[in-house]
Amino acid sequence: MAENISAASGLFIEAQAKIDVVRACGGGLVASADGIRFTVPVQTLYAGSNPRYFGLRHKGATSLNVVNDQVMGLGGVVVPGTLRDSLFILDAIHARDGGPKPETVIMDTASYSDIVFGLFAICGYQFSPRIADISDARLWRTNAAADYGPLQPVSNHTIRLDRIRAHWGDMLGVAGSLPLGEVRGHDLIRMLSRDGKPTGLGDAFAHYGRIFKTLHLLQFVSDEGYRRMIGAQLNVTEARHRLARKIFFGQRGELRQHYREGMEDQLGALGLALYAVVLFNSLCN
């Protein structure tokens, strides 16, 4: 069933992209990822506890969705409980139902470690999370002896290019394996750290990610248009989630499947309904 739902979803995405008013919203190359929580009242390995979202008595799961700037969902994955969403975003993007590969990926304030920035960059994405508190953010430099002018006092940390060069071959191997599904992004991120400390390859990804994290921080501070773009795209995702809550009334808005495949089919059917509503409204505007 999952293959049929994905194929049907791809047709909706293709039809949406051809509408003139939709093309005016964007080219489909900017996408945001965020999770919507569902209670799972049945016994399953694919649910986790979190009193904030599911109450004290129940467990739940997260549907992590990817939505582009043409106001159309691209697909998603089921996350047990409320595990860190950033670990699963690459999996959701690579498993999308249709649409072009996004160039910029946005998410709300959450975990955005240096390793995550490195993995997104090596796969060809600009990772652009919204930042709630930038006061303790670090800026990194590649040349310890260079004069960075006004940024000199705040760029006290140096990126180790030698560590990146030493592991560059393995890093490119990772870049090839992720899109092919040979390794999942959230599993890889876990393997790159042991007991809270990065492995040699993980350290190389961290230093590589600091290049792009620093560029993102500088642009986020200095470019109001960039901040507005991030906020506007996140608003699109939030609006889609509100619509999903209104549509998903069956079984009191709960996931009642015991297996991940069943949850994915249930959420895939919800996605089809969302695609149809969004396409209908786009045609009427």
Side-chain angles (χ1 to χ4, degrees):
M1 181 181 292
E3 293 80 6
N4 294 333
I5 291 176
S6 179
S9 299
L11 295 177
F12 278 108
I13 296 170
E14 182 180 353
Q16 171 84 351
K18 295 178 180 178
I19 302 173
D20 291 339
V21 69
V22 170
R23 288 199 295 267
C25 295
L29 300 180
V30 175
S32 54
D34 197 11
I36 181 171
R37 320 293 183 183
F38 293 100
T39 299
V40 182
V42 298
Q43 293 294 324
T44 174
L45 296 174
Y46 299 99
S49 301
N50 191 316
R52 176 182 175 185
Y53 295 104
F54 313 125
L56 296 174
R57 297 182 179 180
H58 296 294
K59 296 182 178 181
T62 299
S63 175
L64 181 63
N65 302 295
V66 180
V67 183
N68 67 10
D69 57 357
Q70 295 183 331
V71 201
M72 181 58 85
L74 301 179
V77 295
V78 178
V79 179
T82 56
L83 295 176
R84 288 166 50 193
D85 293 348
S86 61
L87 303 184
F88 294 84
I89 295 176
L90 281 172
D91 299 328
I93 293 173
H94 292 145
R96 65 188 185 278
D97 297 321
K101 173 184 173 181
E103 295 178 354
T104 301
V105 180
I106 296 169
M107 69 176 297
D108 207 348
T109 301
S111 172
Y112 43 84
S113 70
D114 299 338
I115 291 178
V116 171
F117 268 92
L119 285 172
F120 272 86
I122 201 74
C123 290
Y125 304 105
Q126 177 181 338
F127 187 44
S128 301
R130 180 162 60 185
I131 302 172
D133 184 7
I134 202 171
S135 60
D136 60 347
R138 291 182 175 183
L139 298 180
W140 295 76
R141 59 170 65 200
T142 57
N143 187 342
D147 183 0
Y148 287 81
L151 297 177
Q152 188 77 5
V154 293
S155 56
N156 299 322
H157 306 278
T158 304
I159 295 168
R160 294 287 302 273
L161 297 178
D162 57 320
R163 297 184 183 181
I164 299 174
R165 295 189 187 101
H167 293 275
W168 187 244
D170 292 332
M171 292 170 67
L172 291 179
V174 167
S177 299
L178 281 170
L180 295 176
E182 296 179 0
V183 61
R184 293 184 296 181
H186 73 281
D187 289 333
L188 177 62
I189 294 174
R190 292 176 183 272
M191 290 187 291
L192 293 176
S193 299
R194 295 175 183 171
D195 300 324
K197 297 181 179 180
T199 63
L201 180 58
D203 187 52
F205 267 113
H207 280 279
Y208 186 64
R210 286 163 186 157
I211 299 172
F212 302 93
K213 184 177 182 180
T214 298
L215 292 173
H216 168 63
L217 290 171
L218 291 173
Q219 187 174 5
F220 191 86
V221 170
S222 63
D223 189 342
E224 182 180 356
Y226 184 61
R227 295 194 301 272
R228 287 181 179 274
M229 182 269 291
I230 291 174
Q233 183 59 33
L234 290 173
N235 288 339
V236 170
T237 304
E238 292 171 1
R240 186 179 189 274
H241 285 175
R242 288 195 297 270
L243 178 61
R245 286 293 187 194
K246 292 180 179 180
I247 292 176
F248 192 30
F249 62 88
Q251 301 287 0
R252 297 180 297 178
E254 299 172 339
L255 294 177
R256 291 180 171 266
Q257 304 299 319
H258 296 270
Y259 301 100
R260 186 186 66 190
E261 291 80 3
M263 293 181 183
E264 290 175 343
D265 289 344
Q266 193 174 355
L267 292 170
L270 172 62
L272 280 177
L274 285 167
Y275 288 140
V277 171
V278 171
L279 179 60
F280 176 80
N281 281 279
S282 298
L283 289 170
C284 292
N285 288 327

